[in-house]
mmCIF file of all heavy atoms in Angstrom:
data_model
loop_
_atom_site.group_PDB
_atom_site.id
_atom_site.type_symbol
_atom_site.label_atom_id
_atom_site.label_comp_id
_atom_site.label_asym_id
_atom_site.label_seq_id
_atom_site.Cartn_x
_atom_site.Cartn_y
_atom_site.Cartn_z
ATOM 1 N N THR H 130 12.518 -57.892 10.938
ATOM 2 C CA THR H 130 13.622 -58.825 11.300
ATOM 3 C C THR H 130 14.935 -58.342 10.839
ATOM 4 O O THR H 130 15.928 -58.432 11.567
ATOM 5 C CB THR H 130 13.320 -60.188 10.588
ATOM 6 O OG1 THR H 130 11.992 -60.622 10.951
ATOM 7 C CG2 THR H 130 14.281 -61.240 11.093
ATOM 8 N N ASP H 131 15.036 -57.726 9.644
ATOM 9 C CA ASP H 131 16.313 -57.228 9.176
ATOM 10 C C ASP H 131 16.794 -56.016 10.026
ATOM 11 O O ASP H 131 17.976 -55.753 10.103
ATOM 12 C CB ASP H 131 16.276 -56.865 7.677
ATOM 13 C CG ASP H 131 15.194 -55.872 7.325
ATOM 14 O OD1 ASP H 131 14.194 -55.746 8.128
ATOM 15 O OD2 ASP H 131 15.344 -55.149 6.279
ATOM 16 N N ARG H 132 15.852 -55.262 10.608
ATOM 17 C CA ARG H 132 16.276 -54.148 11.439
ATOM 18 C C ARG H 132 16.777 -54.606 12.806
ATOM 19 O O ARG H 132 17.480 -53.844 13.497
ATOM 20 C CB ARG H 132 15.107 -53.138 11.572
ATOM 21 C CG ARG H 132 14.609 -52.474 10.288
ATOM 22 C CD ARG H 132 15.433 -51.370 9.894
ATOM 23 N NE ARG H 132 15.460 -50.313 10.912
ATOM 24 C CZ ARG H 132 16.336 -49.347 10.997
ATOM 25 N NH1 ARG H 132 17.296 -49.295 10.096
ATOM 26 N NH2 ARG H 132 16.276 -48.449 11.936
ATOM 27 N N THR H 133 16.370 -55.752 13.239
ATOM 28 C CA THR H 133 16.775 -56.226 14.574
ATOM 29 C C THR H 133 18.289 -56.341 14.698
ATOM 30 O O THR H 133 18.836 -55.966 15.763
ATOM 31 C CB THR H 133 16.101 -57.646 14.795
ATOM 32 O OG1 THR H 133 14.707 -57.516 14.657
ATOM 33 C CG2 THR H 133 16.487 -58.144 16.191
ATOM 34 N N GLU H 134 18.979 -56.736 13.677
ATOM 35 C CA GLU H 134 20.447 -56.861 13.737
ATOM 36 C C GLU H 134 21.056 -55.430 13.853
ATOM 37 O O GLU H 134 22.024 -55.234 14.613
ATOM 38 C CB GLU H 134 21.027 -57.549 12.543
ATOM 39 C CG GLU H 134 20.702 -59.021 12.460
ATOM 40 C CD GLU H 134 21.226 -59.712 11.258
ATOM 41 O OE1 GLU H 134 22.182 -59.156 10.663
ATOM 42 O OE2 GLU H 134 20.709 -60.762 10.932
ATOM 43 N N VAL H 135 20.520 -54.451 13.115
ATOM 44 C CA VAL H 135 21.045 -53.130 13.199
ATOM 45 C C VAL H 135 20.778 -52.543 14.622
ATOM 46 O O VAL H 135 21.655 -51.875 15.213
ATOM 47 C CB VAL H 135 20.345 -52.248 12.087
ATOM 48 C CG1 VAL H 135 20.757 -50.790 12.264
ATOM 49 C CG2 VAL H 135 20.659 -52.752 10.735
ATOM 50 N N ILE H 136 19.592 -52.781 15.136
ATOM 51 C CA ILE H 136 19.266 -52.305 16.497
ATOM 52 C C ILE H 136 20.173 -52.946 17.503
ATOM 53 O O ILE H 136 20.703 -52.272 18.431
ATOM 54 C CB ILE H 136 17.786 -52.576 16.809
ATOM 55 C CG1 ILE H 136 16.892 -51.756 15.856
ATOM 56 C CG2 ILE H 136 17.473 -52.280 18.295
ATOM 57 C CD1 ILE H 136 15.410 -52.159 15.941
ATOM 58 N N ALA H 137 20.445 -54.207 17.371
ATOM 59 C CA ALA H 137 21.303 -54.927 18.345
ATOM 60 C C ALA H 137 22.721 -54.351 18.326
ATOM 61 O O ALA H 137 23.316 -54.126 19.357
ATOM 62 C CB ALA H 137 21.330 -56.380 18.022
ATOM 63 N N ALA H 138 23.220 -54.034 17.176
ATOM 64 C CA ALA H 138 24.592 -53.476 17.031
ATOM 65 C C ALA H 138 24.615 -52.073 17.654
ATOM 66 O O ALA H 138 25.553 -51.730 18.383
ATOM 67 C CB ALA H 138 24.954 -53.406 15.526
ATOM 68 N N ALA H 139 23.589 -51.249 17.473
ATOM 69 C CA ALA H 139 23.552 -49.920 18.010
ATOM 70 C C ALA H 139 23.486 -50.004 19.513
ATOM 71 O O ALA H 139 24.164 -49.274 20.276
ATOM 72 C CB ALA H 139 22.383 -49.122 17.413
ATOM 73 N N LEU H 140 22.609 -50.851 20.045
ATOM 74 C CA LEU H 140 22.461 -50.986 21.483
ATOM 75 C C LEU H 140 23.663 -51.578 22.125
ATOM 76 O O LEU H 140 24.086 -51.151 23.268
ATOM 77 C CB LEU H 140 21.281 -51.919 21.829
ATOM 78 C CG LEU H 140 19.892 -51.233 21.677
ATOM 79 C CD1 LEU H 140 18.826 -52.285 21.939
ATOM 80 C CD2 LEU H 140 19.737 -50.072 22.633
ATOM 81 N N GLU H 141 24.384 -52.428 21.414
ATOM 82 C CA GLU H 141 25.646 -52.978 21.959
ATOM 83 C C GLU H 141 26.715 -51.899 22.125
ATOM 84 O O GLU H 141 27.397 -51.829 23.100
ATOM 85 C CB GLU H 141 26.168 -54.089 21.052
ATOM 86 C CG GLU H 141 27.335 -54.879 21.595
ATOM 87 C CD GLU H 141 26.952 -55.672 22.824
ATOM 88 O OE1 GLU H 141 25.776 -56.181 22.925
ATOM 89 O OE2 GLU H 141 27.727 -55.751 23.724
ATOM 90 N N GLY H 142 26.752 -50.968 21.103
ATOM 91 C CA GLY H 142 27.678 -49.862 21.235
ATOM 92 C C GLY H 142 27.310 -48.968 22.423
ATOM 93 O O GLY H 142 28.180 -48.448 23.122
ATOM 94 N N MET H 143 26.049 -48.739 22.615
ATOM 95 C CA MET H 143 25.646 -47.881 23.733
ATOM 96 C C MET H 143 25.988 -48.562 25.082
ATOM 97 O O MET H 143 26.468 -47.871 26.013
ATOM 98 C CB MET H 143 24.118 -47.651 23.684
ATOM 99 C CG MET H 143 23.705 -46.714 22.559
ATOM 100 S SD MET H 143 21.901 -46.556 22.339
ATOM 101 C CE MET H 143 21.357 -46.163 23.941
ATOM 102 N N MET H 144 25.791 -49.882 25.129
ATOM 103 C CA MET H 144 26.122 -50.576 26.386
ATOM 104 C C MET H 144 27.614 -50.514 26.640
ATOM 105 O O MET H 144 28.001 -50.432 27.830
ATOM 106 C CB MET H 144 25.632 -52.013 26.303
ATOM 107 C CG MET H 144 24.105 -52.113 26.136
ATOM 108 S SD MET H 144 23.155 -51.286 27.423
ATOM 109 C CE MET H 144 23.435 -52.346 28.809
ATOM 110 N N GLN H 145 28.411 -50.558 25.626
ATOM 111 C CA GLN H 145 29.887 -50.455 25.773
ATOM 112 C C GLN H 145 30.227 -49.070 26.356
ATOM 113 O O GLN H 145 31.117 -48.990 27.196
ATOM 114 C CB GLN H 145 30.564 -50.736 24.484
ATOM 115 C CG GLN H 145 30.503 -52.208 24.069
ATOM 116 C CD GLN H 145 31.208 -52.435 22.706
ATOM 117 O OE1 GLN H 145 31.559 -51.481 22.018
ATOM 118 N NE2 GLN H 145 31.212 -53.680 22.267
ATOM 119 N N ASN H 146 29.591 -48.058 25.875
ATOM 120 C CA ASN H 146 29.805 -46.711 26.433
ATOM 121 C C ASN H 146 29.432 -46.616 27.881
ATOM 122 O O ASN H 146 30.087 -45.962 28.677
ATOM 123 C CB ASN H 146 29.052 -45.673 25.604
ATOM 124 C CG ASN H 146 29.701 -45.429 24.293
ATOM 125 O OD1 ASN H 146 30.901 -45.663 24.078
ATOM 126 N ND2 ASN H 146 28.941 -45.023 23.296
ATOM 127 N N PHE H 147 28.285 -47.290 28.243
ATOM 128 C CA PHE H 147 27.882 -47.296 29.645
ATOM 129 C C PHE H 147 28.942 -48.001 30.517
ATOM 130 O O PHE H 147 29.179 -47.605 31.634
ATOM 131 C CB PHE H 147 26.510 -47.950 29.798
ATOM 132 C CG PHE H 147 25.375 -47.127 29.247
ATOM 133 C CD1 PHE H 147 24.314 -47.715 28.685
ATOM 134 C CD2 PHE H 147 25.370 -45.733 29.368
ATOM 135 C CE1 PHE H 147 23.255 -46.993 28.183
ATOM 136 C CE2 PHE H 147 24.335 -44.973 28.869
ATOM 137 C CZ PHE H 147 23.253 -45.604 28.253
ATOM 138 N N ASP H 148 29.457 -49.074 30.028
ATOM 139 C CA ASP H 148 30.485 -49.824 30.697
ATOM 140 C C ASP H 148 31.740 -48.891 30.926
ATOM 141 O O ASP H 148 32.326 -48.952 31.997
ATOM 142 C CB ASP H 148 30.923 -51.077 29.966
ATOM 143 C CG ASP H 148 29.868 -52.171 29.975
ATOM 144 O OD1 ASP H 148 28.974 -52.126 30.848
ATOM 145 O OD2 ASP H 148 29.875 -53.017 29.107
ATOM 146 N N LEU H 149 32.094 -48.089 29.997
ATOM 147 C CA LEU H 149 33.220 -47.150 30.100
ATOM 148 C C LEU H 149 32.901 -46.145 31.213
ATOM 149 O O LEU H 149 33.781 -45.806 32.029
ATOM 150 C CB LEU H 149 33.528 -46.443 28.826
ATOM 151 C CG LEU H 149 34.206 -47.341 27.742
ATOM 152 C CD1 LEU H 149 34.284 -46.486 26.449
ATOM 153 C CD2 LEU H 149 35.535 -47.782 28.178
ATOM 154 N N LEU H 150 31.679 -45.640 31.237
ATOM 155 C CA LEU H 150 31.370 -44.685 32.295
ATOM 156 C C LEU H 150 31.334 -45.307 33.661
ATOM 157 O O LEU H 150 31.716 -44.650 34.640
ATOM 158 C CB LEU H 150 29.921 -44.097 31.972
ATOM 159 C CG LEU H 150 29.834 -43.107 30.839
ATOM 160 C CD1 LEU H 150 28.370 -42.789 30.569
ATOM 161 C CD2 LEU H 150 30.664 -41.915 31.066
ATOM 162 N N ASP H 151 30.964 -46.591 33.758
ATOM 163 C CA ASP H 151 31.009 -47.238 35.074
ATOM 164 C C ASP H 151 32.430 -47.374 35.599
ATOM 165 O O ASP H 151 32.610 -47.534 36.787
ATOM 166 C CB ASP H 151 30.337 -48.660 34.941
ATOM 167 C CG ASP H 151 28.871 -48.599 34.853
ATOM 168 O OD1 ASP H 151 28.245 -47.549 35.333
ATOM 169 O OD2 ASP H 151 28.259 -49.560 34.406
ATOM 170 N N GLN H 152 33.433 -47.336 34.720
ATOM 171 C CA GLN H 152 34.815 -47.510 35.142
ATOM 172 C C GLN H 152 35.457 -46.193 35.691
ATOM 173 O O GLN H 152 36.498 -46.234 36.267
ATOM 174 C CB GLN H 152 35.673 -48.009 34.004
ATOM 175 C CG GLN H 152 35.283 -49.372 33.521
ATOM 176 C CD GLN H 152 35.967 -49.862 32.265
ATOM 177 O OE1 GLN H 152 36.866 -49.166 31.793
ATOM 178 N NE2 GLN H 152 35.588 -50.959 31.738
ATOM 179 N N VAL H 153 34.752 -45.060 35.525
ATOM 180 C CA VAL H 153 35.258 -43.761 35.952
ATOM 181 C C VAL H 153 35.277 -43.741 37.442
ATOM 182 O O VAL H 153 34.204 -43.919 38.084
ATOM 183 C CB VAL H 153 34.483 -42.633 35.348
ATOM 184 C CG1 VAL H 153 34.922 -41.286 35.937
ATOM 185 C CG2 VAL H 153 34.581 -42.599 33.836
ATOM 186 N N GLU H 154 36.425 -43.475 38.043
ATOM 187 C CA GLU H 154 36.474 -43.416 39.512
ATOM 188 C C GLU H 154 36.141 -41.951 39.957
ATOM 189 O O GLU H 154 36.799 -41.033 39.574
ATOM 190 C CB GLU H 154 37.904 -43.785 39.953
ATOM 191 C CG GLU H 154 38.069 -43.797 41.440
ATOM 192 C CD GLU H 154 37.239 -44.915 42.114
ATOM 193 O OE1 GLU H 154 37.124 -46.001 41.530
ATOM 194 O OE2 GLU H 154 36.644 -44.578 43.184
ATOM 195 N N ILE H 155 35.072 -41.834 40.679
ATOM 196 C CA ILE H 155 34.661 -40.460 41.070
ATOM 197 C C ILE H 155 35.040 -40.157 42.535
ATOM 198 O O ILE H 155 34.974 -39.060 42.945
ATOM 199 C CB ILE H 155 33.139 -40.241 40.901
ATOM 200 C CG1 ILE H 155 32.324 -41.274 41.702
ATOM 201 C CG2 ILE H 155 32.769 -40.307 39.429
ATOM 202 C CD1 ILE H 155 30.866 -41.026 41.678
ATOM 203 N N GLY H 156 35.473 -41.186 43.248
ATOM 204 C CA GLY H 156 35.958 -40.966 44.595
ATOM 205 C C GLY H 156 34.840 -40.443 45.551
ATOM 206 O O GLY H 156 33.689 -40.833 45.466
ATOM 207 N N GLU H 157 35.236 -39.544 46.376
ATOM 208 C CA GLU H 157 34.374 -38.949 47.375
ATOM 209 C C GLU H 157 33.757 -37.658 46.904
ATOM 210 O O GLU H 157 33.906 -36.654 47.562
ATOM 211 C CB GLU H 157 35.120 -38.795 48.661
ATOM 212 C CG GLU H 157 35.629 -40.037 49.321
ATOM 213 C CD GLU H 157 34.476 -40.960 49.767
ATOM 214 O OE1 GLU H 157 33.432 -40.410 50.249
ATOM 215 O OE2 GLU H 157 34.551 -42.183 49.615
ATOM 216 N N THR H 158 33.088 -37.639 45.804
ATOM 217 C CA THR H 158 32.509 -36.466 45.241
ATOM 218 C C THR H 158 31.236 -36.161 46.066
ATOM 219 O O THR H 158 30.308 -36.956 46.128
ATOM 220 C CB THR H 158 32.161 -36.662 43.803
ATOM 221 O OG1 THR H 158 33.312 -37.057 43.058
ATOM 222 C CG2 THR H 158 31.577 -35.382 43.192
ATOM 223 N N PRO H 159 31.180 -34.952 46.653
ATOM 224 C CA PRO H 159 29.977 -34.620 47.424
ATOM 225 C C PRO H 159 28.796 -34.297 46.492
ATOM 226 O O PRO H 159 28.999 -33.883 45.342
ATOM 227 C CB PRO H 159 30.365 -33.364 48.175
ATOM 228 C CG PRO H 159 31.462 -32.770 47.385
ATOM 229 C CD PRO H 159 32.175 -33.949 46.719
ATOM 230 N N PRO H 160 27.565 -34.480 46.954
ATOM 231 C CA PRO H 160 26.417 -34.172 46.125
ATOM 232 C C PRO H 160 26.314 -32.667 45.871
ATOM 233 O O PRO H 160 26.775 -31.920 46.700
ATOM 234 C CB PRO H 160 25.250 -34.687 46.893
ATOM 235 C CG PRO H 160 25.705 -34.812 48.329
ATOM 236 C CD PRO H 160 27.227 -35.060 48.250
ATOM 237 N N THR H 161 25.758 -32.284 44.745
ATOM 238 C CA THR H 161 25.643 -30.914 44.452
ATOM 239 C C THR H 161 24.259 -30.384 44.971
ATOM 240 O O THR H 161 23.270 -30.312 44.268
ATOM 241 C CB THR H 161 25.676 -30.624 42.947
ATOM 242 O OG1 THR H 161 24.667 -31.414 42.348
ATOM 243 C CG2 THR H 161 27.016 -31.003 42.383
ATOM 244 N N ASN H 162 24.231 -30.070 46.259
ATOM 245 C CA ASN H 162 22.998 -29.614 46.839
ATOM 246 C C ASN H 162 23.038 -28.147 47.276
ATOM 247 O O ASN H 162 22.287 -27.711 48.125
ATOM 248 C CB ASN H 162 22.626 -30.535 48.003
ATOM 249 C CG ASN H 162 23.712 -30.536 49.049
ATOM 250 O OD1 ASN H 162 24.744 -29.876 48.920
ATOM 251 N ND2 ASN H 162 23.499 -31.300 50.105
#
């Protein structure tokens, strides 16, 4: 139970980083094929 708060804080930080990545405008980047 005491580790749950630590895990929640770490995951929240990761989710904030994912939100930042979602904001990056990549435009019309062609696939690397």
Side-chain angles (χ1 to χ4, degrees):
T130 307
D131 57 336
R132 297 280 300 162
T133 303
E134 291 181 20
V135 175
I136 294 169
L140 284 175
E141 190 64 36
M143 290 173 52
M144 298 306 286
Q145 289 174 357
N146 287 334
F147 290 143
D148 289 340
L149 288 174
L150 288 174
D151 284 339
Q152 295 173 7
V153 174
E154 185 64 40
I155 58 173
E157 295 295 323
T158 305
T161 57
N162 57 1

